[in-house]
Amino acid sequence: MFKQFKENFLNMVNIRLIVLAVIAFALGAVMIYRVFDLQIVNGEKYLNDFQLKTTKVRSLASTRGNIYDRNGNILAYNELAYNVTIEDVYESGRNKNANLNDTIYRLIQMIEKNGDSSVNDFNVVLDSDGNYTFAVEDRQLNRFLADVYGFASIDDMDYKYATKTAEEVVNDLCASDRFGIGNYTDPEDRKSFVPGMGYTKEEILKILAIRYAMNANSFQKYIATTVAYNISEETVAVVMENSDNLDGVSVAEDTVRRYVDSVYFSQIIGYTGKISQEELTVLKEQNPKYDLNDTVGKSGIEYSMESELQGTKGSEDVVVDNVGKVIETSNRVEPVAGNHIYLTIDKDLQKTVYNILEAKVASILLTKIRNIKEYTPAESSGSSDILIPIDDVYFALFDNNVIDTSHFSERTAGENEKEIYESFLIRKADVLANLREELLGKKTPYNELPVDYQVYESYISSMLYSNAVIMEEEVDTSDATYIAWTNDEVISLYEYLNYVISKNWIDVTKLDLNSQYSDSEEIYSQLLEYIFENIDNNTGFNKKIYKYMIKNNEISGRQVCSVLLEQDIITIEEEEESRFTSGLISPYEFMRDRIRNLDITPAQLALDPHSASLVLTDVNTGEVLALVSYPGYDNNRMANGVDAEYFSSLLNDLSTPMINYATYQRTAPGSTFKMVSATAGLLEGVIDPSTLITCTGTFDKIEQQPPHCWNRSGHGSLNVTGGIQHSCNNFFYEVGYRLGTVGERYNTDLGLQKLEKYADMYGLTETSGVEIEESAPQISDIDPVRSAIGQGTNNFTTVGLARYITTVANSGTCYNLTLLDKLTDHNDKLISDYKAEVRNTIDMDSNFWDLIHTGMRRVVEGKGYFSDLSIHVAGKTGTAQESRSRPNHALFVCYAPYENPEIAMAVRVANGYTSDYAAQIAKDVVEYYYGLADEEEIAGTAKELTGGSLNAD
């Protein structure tokens, strides 16, 4: 009876049958619904509207906390913006990749047409020659390759994948079933697919960046991938108008990270970016809610304070269909904004110090530039005597990509650009012809070639090694022919390359050979083709040609200066331009004026010097008031999706602006180390306040290569105060010797142990405590005699020296320095009030401190440029030689006021010639800090410097 009733009922109505199944997943329960309509009409059954629905939990990003300076000035914040996103709503099948790639391609075209840019944080970029190159290296590169090729860990990755080139990675991904970026030569033949076909290299990278990011979410198709951040209203309108033809594309309201005065603070604050797999692994241990869609701190305070700035995610339940499209949402839990960080940094002080550094480095360049073609040092010349020929300045504009040589061949090129380019083509054809003649058998020995051709052939050799055509791991470095080539002896490049082939050091798979078993003649022939193909449009090789065209007057200084105007690199008053073009101003003076006015900066030239750093502390609290690295970079262009073109320019910038010179660069401290040696000598009892040590100019207790004082005629008899005041090397050689002497026996290990003990008291054996990335210090492990004057293998960062001089200034309290002032929640309620921790204290008699402080005060009293300063300063100079072919590093550490110390600072100008120049920077900073001079008076322009003596160093 029931059976009959059921059949009658189905013939009368339409029934919706719902089958429910609950499947347990690792992270929770997901409800899956099979929904369909079963309709009965006149006894016939019809199945309509089949749909698979899945309910999942979607996390909602929180708003990142702000970053402020010590006075509440905002440095990093979030700004409301519109982003373009895409979801993978594409049906699986043979045409999915083609359809998805086409959508992304058209979308990027729309975005860029309105001046916006797509996200391109893929780890491959284009170099200056338009070739694929990795944007990461070392462990980051290995992690990237492991992710690309599906290895869970770096250790699991096979050698063949670990050695993939950037081009191979791109080709492999384009050819993969995952992405299928390219086209078919025959649409009917599935085997005719050509990776990348139909797209430029730049377009491939842009599409690949989006596809790679989408692939990371392939298990969560309902999670959108950002294609472009902070788009304009015009782009919003275009995308919305074309939404019917852009499946899965949406415009979403979001926030983007913004940095105020970015260049000044980028090294401290860092930037944010899309989380990497390696970062995710680490962060999930701290907070399991992190996922691959998160934006996290990549460097600086953004990185170190990630857990405080990130905030707490919200969540909502989403119902998606079988292709991942969201149908409905429910159970929304709002996210909680991140906490705000207040730094100890003073914004105005930081900016002014940066400008002082730039102006002073430019001043050093002005002081050393001469109107000469080439500098040839005299036999008696030292590193402080090195001059900069004006031709080196002209070439620097080419070498560091300030002048865009690719524009020379454009239709819009200026008159001088066209003239230079025409001359360049003639010269390049001549160079290539001569090189081909050499490599076809002329066989001129390397040491008999003209200097420019030596440079060209060295470039070719280096290129073959860097491109792994010559397999470095196979080369026998003890081989006589190899040694002859590397030592520039009587051997030609022709002979060397043929020898390399005979030794099987060539990777023949890199050459276009019919067979890997080709004979040596065929291999050499194809090697030549490889060489000339690769140097033909090679930017690095072309720069070598430009260099010698300038030296040989084939490109004039006036042409170079004119190109700066034609390419709008500089802008000057019409009157000055008229005087220059009419010949009333020489190119030499024109270029000096550009440097003087900072129209062309030291960072752009990337000559020696081009960088500097300064760290200024509160000696009574251990707070860092300024931590400055010159040059900086614009972290706004690194956050919110990396600007690939800008990032590539940073990687190729010879001034390396992404290096924090205050925390990463380590050099010998020079004579700034002598207060450590003085402390060691006094506390170990090898000297006392009345001890006199006689300096004759040479330290004769070491027979083999006895060291000398900088004053070869000697200083006479000095106590410890005089030793510091006159920076007498012999005085501190003797201290180092005595520290290692027991009875009549000199023990180097003992001397080094004692120096390390007292260096540790000043915090020089560990990183300084600041909450950003920092290089570990290096304490000398050789020769306590020379180590006592800051030589040996001593190497410290500027911030490490700042902690050291802070400890000297306050007479023995060594802090773990801090950049953090306080932490508040998003409603500005105080959470933590940070204080610098006291690492240790130095228990030393006040009389001993007075001896050291008095010596430092007398150092400054001996500097004429400090004489008009109403605030008394105590300090110590240091000049560190690293190479005789480059200027010395210039260092200065000091504190003020001398009578009652409040601030301390460490200054370093890498390759800055002499510590006098670093000391003059410190003087300008003291003037500004105490309101004795305005920024415009001390940092507006560059000027030639006085001083520069190595005395008292």
Side-chain angles (χ1 to χ4, degrees):
M1 186 174 182
F2 176 78
K3 182 178 180 181
Q4 183 63 44
F5 170 79
K6 181 179 178 182
E7 290 178 353
N8 292 338
F9 181 78
L10 289 176
N11 282 323
M12 295 170 59
V13 297
N14 297 331
I15 298 292
R16 170 165 292 181
L17 301 178
I18 303 178
V19 181
L20 302 179
V22 179
I23 300 177
F25 283 85
L27 297 179
V30 177
M31 188 71 72
I32 298 178
Y33 305 83
R34 288 190 180 275
V35 181
F36 54 90
D37 286 338
L38 181 61
Q39 193 174 47
I40 315 312
V41 179
N42 297 325
E44 297 295 326
K45 299 179 178 63
Y46 299 91
L47 187 65
N48 298 325
D49 303 326
F50 174 81
Q51 193 173 42
L52 179 69
K53 291 186 179 181
T54 307
T55 299
K56 297 184 179 182
V57 178
R58 175 166 61 186
S59 63
L60 302 174
S62 58
T63 302
R64 198 170 182 84
N66 296 337
I67 302 174
Y68 300 88
D69 84 336
R70 66 186 299 112
N71 300 311
N73 295 307
I74 197 160
L75 302 176
Y77 65 98
N78 308 293
E79 185 175 80
L80 287 174
Y82 289 108
N83 299 341
V84 179
T85 65
I86 187 168
E87 293 180 34
D88 187 356
V89 297
Y90 291 75
E91 293 280 359
S92 298
R94 61 182 294 178
N95 294 321
K96 175 179 176 176
N97 281 330
N99 293 335
L100 182 50
N101 293 336
D102 178 64
T103 297
I104 294 171
Y105 173 77
R106 288 185 290 109
L107 179 59
I108 290 172
Q109 299 299 307
M110 295 177 193
I111 291 167
E112 293 183 343
K113 186 176 182 180
N114 289 296
D116 295 317
S117 57
S118 62
V119 171
N120 195 350
D121 50 8
F122 192 55
N123 286 326
V124 176
V125 295
L126 292 177
D127 64 17
S128 54
D129 295 320
N131 298 317
Y132 295 121
T133 186
F134 291 118
V136 289
E137 56 187 14
D138 301 328
R139 181 173 176 81
Q140 284 182 297
L141 174 57
N142 289 332
R143 180 65 262 175
F144 171 63
L145 291 172
D147 291 343
V148 166
Y149 291 106
F151 293 97
S153 73
I154 294 172
D155 295 335
D156 295 336
M157 184 165 50
D158 296 343
Y159 177 79
K160 72 174 183 177
Y161 296 109
T163 55
K164 287 279 189 178
T165 66
E167 183 169 6
E168 288 171 334
V169 168
V170 171
N171 288 338
D172 288 349
L173 289 176
C174 287
S176 70
D177 292 338
R178 282 186 291 170
F179 303 142
I181 302 173
N183 281 290
Y184 294 91
T185 55
D186 180 357
E188 301 301 321
D189 183 3
R190 305 304 292 176
K191 295 182 180 180
S192 69
F193 184 79
V194 179
M197 179 180 170
Y199 301 105
T200 66
K201 286 185 174 181
E202 190 173 16
E203 290 167 348
I204 289 170
L205 284 183
K206 291 173 182 177
I207 297 171
L208 195 51
I210 306 304
R211 291 298 310 273
Y212 193 78
M214 293 179 72
N215 185 70
N217 287 328
S218 58
F219 62 98
Q220 295 175 302
K221 292 184 178 181
Y222 57 93
I223 300 292
T225 298
T226 302
V227 178
Y229 289 96
N230 194 29
I231 59 172
S232 64
E233 292 181 2
E234 291 79 8
T235 299
V236 171
V238 170
V239 172
M240 297 300 289
E241 287 170 7
N242 290 275
S243 59
D244 290 345
N245 299 316
L246 297 170
D247 291 342
V249 174
S250 302
V251 174
E253 190 177 87
D254 200 354
T255 60
V256 292
R257 197 66 163 167
R258 289 290 185 223
Y259 301 107
V260 178
D261 294 320
S262 58
V263 172
Y264 301 101
F265 295 94
S266 54
Q267 303 289 3
I268 297 175
I269 293 177
Y271 58 92
T272 60
K274 186 80 174 291
I275 194 170
S276 69
Q277 183 62 56
E278 189 169 22
E279 290 165 338
L280 178 63
T281 302
V282 173
L283 289 171
K284 280 184 80 70
E285 293 178 1
Q286 305 168 20
N287 183 350
K289 290 189 175 181
Y290 277 102
D291 60 49
L292 276 171
N293 298 290
D294 287 331
T295 294
V296 297
K298 291 288 187 176
S299 66
I301 292 295
E302 291 277 30
Y303 171 79
S304 64
M305 300 301 290
E306 164 65 24
S307 61
E308 297 293 350
L309 292 165
Q310 179 65 235
T312 303
K313 289 182 177 180
S315 64
E316 64 182 357
D317 293 344
V318 295
V319 178
V320 298
D321 63 16
N322 60 310
V323 293
K325 186 175 182 180
V326 175
I327 299 171
E328 58 185 85
T329 63
S330 60
N331 300 328
R332 184 181 177 92
V333 177
E334 293 297 332
V336 178
N339 297 323
H340 299 323
I341 300 287
Y342 287 77
L343 303 181
T344 59
I345 297 295
D346 182 305
K347 176 184 175 182
D348 294 337
L349 177 65
Q350 177 86 6
K351 291 172 60 178
T352 299
V353 170
Y354 183 97
N355 292 333
I356 289 172
L357 289 179
E358 181 172 63
K360 200 65 71 176
V361 173
S363 297
I364 298 172
L365 289 173
L366 272 182
T367 305
K368 297 298 180 178
I369 291 172
R370 295 289 186 275
N371 194 14
I372 55 178
K373 299 291 290 181
E374 193 167 349
Y375 169 68
T376 304
E379 271 191 38
S380 59
S381 297
S383 298
S384 62
D385 300 313
I386 294 173
L387 298 175
I388 305 171
I390 189 62
D391 274 11
D392 288 4
V393 179
Y394 295 145
F395 174 63
L397 297 168
F398 287 80
D399 201 28
N400 203 28
N401 306 308
V402 177
I403 287 176
D404 180 7
T405 56
S406 67
H407 191 260
F408 290 177
S409 59
E410 297 291 330
R411 183 179 56 82
T412 56
E415 180 182 342
N416 289 278
E417 291 180 273
K418 292 175 180 177
E419 289 177 0
I420 290 174
Y421 187 59
E422 184 177 343
S423 299
F424 168 76
L425 291 178
I426 294 170
R427 179 62 177 150
K428 182 177 179 179
D430 187 47
V431 167
L432 294 179
N434 290 336
L435 285 172
R436 191 174 286 276
E437 184 181 2
E438 285 290 341
L439 292 174
L440 285 174
K442 188 176 180 182
K443 298 188 287 190
T444 304
Y446 183 89
N447 61 347
E448 295 178 16
L449 288 168
V451 174
D452 51 346
Y453 278 88
Q454 289 181 356
V455 170
Y456 301 146
E457 290 197 356
S458 292
Y459 188 90
I460 290 170
S461 176
S462 297
M463 179 189 72
L464 294 176
Y465 276 99
S466 62
N467 290 358
V469 176
I470 298 179
M471 299 178 289
E472 194 166 2
E473 67 277 8
E474 298 294 327
V475 174
D476 178 5
T477 56
S478 64
D479 184 276
T481 303
Y482 170 82
I483 292 171
W485 172 253
T486 54
N487 290 344
D488 304 340
E489 295 175 4
V490 186
I491 184 175
S492 68
L493 181 58
Y494 170 90
E495 292 166 318
Y496 179 64
L497 293 179
N498 275 284
Y499 184 79
V500 166
I501 291 171
S502 72
K503 302 296 288 186
N504 294 319
W505 296 346
I506 292 285
D507 183 355
V508 295
T509 65
K510 304 279 187 182
L511 307 178
D512 187 15
L513 295 168
N514 293 326
S515 168
Q516 66 181 96
Y517 302 106
S518 302
D519 60 28
S520 58
E521 185 176 335
E522 184 181 355
I523 292 173
Y524 185 72
S525 175
Q526 288 304 313
L527 180 61
L528 290 192
E529 292 306 308
Y530 178 92
I531 288 170
F532 286 101
E533 180 181 337
N534 278 270
I535 65 173
D536 187 35
N537 290 306
N538 185 292
T539 301
F541 186 79
N542 288 346
K543 286 177 180 178
K544 305 300 181 188
I545 297 176
Y546 280 118
K547 177 178 181 177
Y548 288 98
M549 289 181 71
I550 291 171
K551 283 190 176 296
N552 297 329
N553 296 317
E554 296 172 67
I555 297 174
S556 70
R558 186 167 295 280
Q559 285 178 309
V560 174
C561 295
S562 296
V563 169
L564 294 177
L565 293 167
E566 290 177 348
Q567 293 193 354
D568 294 324
I569 296 165
I570 59 172
T571 303
I572 60 176
E573 297 291 334
E574 287 185 16
E575 181 184 353
E576 184 180 8
E577 184 173 348
S578 175
R579 294 180 65 220
F580 169 70
T581 53
S582 65
L584 294 176
I585 299 177
S586 71
Y588 174 69
E589 285 302 328
F590 182 86
M591 186 57 66
R592 286 178 61 85
D593 284 343
R594 303 288 66 76
I595 297 170
R596 182 178 292 109
N597 296 328
L598 300 176
D599 301 328
I600 296 294
T601 66
Q604 287 176 296
L605 293 174
L607 296 167
D608 287 335
H610 62 260
S611 66
S613 57
L614 186 151
V615 180
L616 189 149
T617 66
D618 183 324
V619 303
N620 298 307
T621 66
E623 294 179 344
V624 177
L625 306 181
L627 188 150
V628 184
S629 174
Y630 175 83
Y633 64 94
D634 184 357
N635 48 358
N636 282 307
R637 299 179 70 177
M638 298 296 293
N640 313 311
V642 175
D643 181 331
E645 184 176 345
Y646 180 66
F647 184 45
S648 179
S649 73
L650 292 178
L651 294 177
N652 291 307
D653 192 329
L654 299 178
S655 71
T656 54
M658 293 191 75
I659 289 179
N660 187 333
Y661 285 99
T663 62
Y664 267 111
Q665 185 183 47
R666 301 181 308 174
T667 71
S671 294
T672 63
F673 188 78
K674 287 175 178 173
M675 286 81 77
V676 173
S677 301
T679 303
L682 290 166
L683 290 184
E684 289 293 324
V686 300
I687 59 172
D688 62 34
S690 62
T691 299
L692 295 178
I693 294 174
T694 301
C695 170
T696 61
T698 301
F699 186 71
D700 57 10
K701 293 186 179 180
I702 296 178
E703 295 180 2
Q704 191 173 17
Q705 296 182 324
H708 300 280
C709 187
W710 63 265
N711 185 348
R712 292 300 180 96
S713 61
H715 286 105
S717 295
L718 300 170
N719 68 358
V720 65
T721 296
I724 293 171
Q725 174 187 352
H726 296 286
S727 198
C728 177
N729 289 347
N730 271 30
F731 184 95
F732 290 99
Y733 289 150
E734 177 66 24
V735 170
Y737 187 82
R738 292 183 184 183
L739 289 172
T741 300
V742 179
E744 299 298 320
R745 186 167 174 268
Y746 173 61
N747 184 315
T748 59
D749 290 342
L750 178 63
L752 291 168
Q753 288 169 12
K754 289 182 178 178
L755 283 173
E756 182 175 1
K757 172 184 174 181
Y758 291 95
D760 178 72
M761 290 183 180
Y762 285 106
L764 288 171
T765 60
E766 299 175 348
T767 52
S768 69
V770 293
E771 295 83 2
I772 56 177
E773 304 89 338
E774 180 183 351
S775 297
Q778 180 180 347
I779 297 294
S780 182
D781 57 2
I782 60 170
D783 191 357
V785 168
R786 289 179 173 83
S787 296
I789 70 163
Q791 294 181 1
T793 57
N794 283 313
N795 277 291
F796 306 115
T797 62
T798 308
V799 71
L801 293 175
R803 170 158 74 171
Y804 157 49
I805 194 60
T806 298
T807 309
V808 173
N810 64 36
S811 299
T813 302
C814 182
Y815 290 101
N816 285 327
L817 301 181
T818 185
L819 288 164
L820 302 179
D821 181 21
K822 63 182 179 180
L823 178 73
T824 71
D825 66 13
H826 61 282
N827 292 317
D828 288 326
K829 182 180 179 181
L830 183 66
I831 298 174
S832 297
D833 189 5
Y834 298 110
K835 303 291 182 186
E837 295 180 355
V838 175
R839 177 184 182 270
N840 65 275
T841 57
I842 302 174
D843 185 13
M844 187 163 67
D845 189 280
S846 60
N847 183 39
F848 289 177
W849 283 116
D850 289 344
L851 293 169
I852 293 172
H853 292 157
T854 301
M856 294 177 67
R857 174 60 188 150
R858 289 179 181 174
V859 168
V860 175
E861 287 177 331
K863 306 291 183 184
Y865 42 82
F866 275 99
S867 61
D868 62 347
L869 195 61
S870 60
I871 299 293
H872 292 166
V873 177
K876 184 70 195 78
T877 50
T879 301
Q881 186 181 67
E882 191 170 300
S883 166
R884 292 190 62 83
S885 63
R886 299 181 69 182
N888 297 328
H889 301 306
L891 300 102
F892 187 68
V893 294
C894 67
Y895 62 87
Y898 167 67
E899 299 80 4
N900 185 23
E902 296 174 348
I903 60 170
M905 77 177 90
V907 185
R908 182 189 342 250
V909 182
N911 306 113
Y913 286 85
T914 170
S915 57
D916 258 346
Y917 296 152
Q920 291 177 49
I921 290 171
K923 185 247 186 183
D924 287 348
V925 173
V926 170
E927 281 190 299
Y928 172 79
Y929 185 86
Y930 285 102
L932 304 176
D934 294 330
E935 179 182 346
E936 292 75 17
E937 298 177 57
I938 52 181
T941 58
K943 58 185 178 182
E944 287 194 53
L945 301 175
T946 57
S949 168
L950 286 177
N951 291 352
D953 227 25

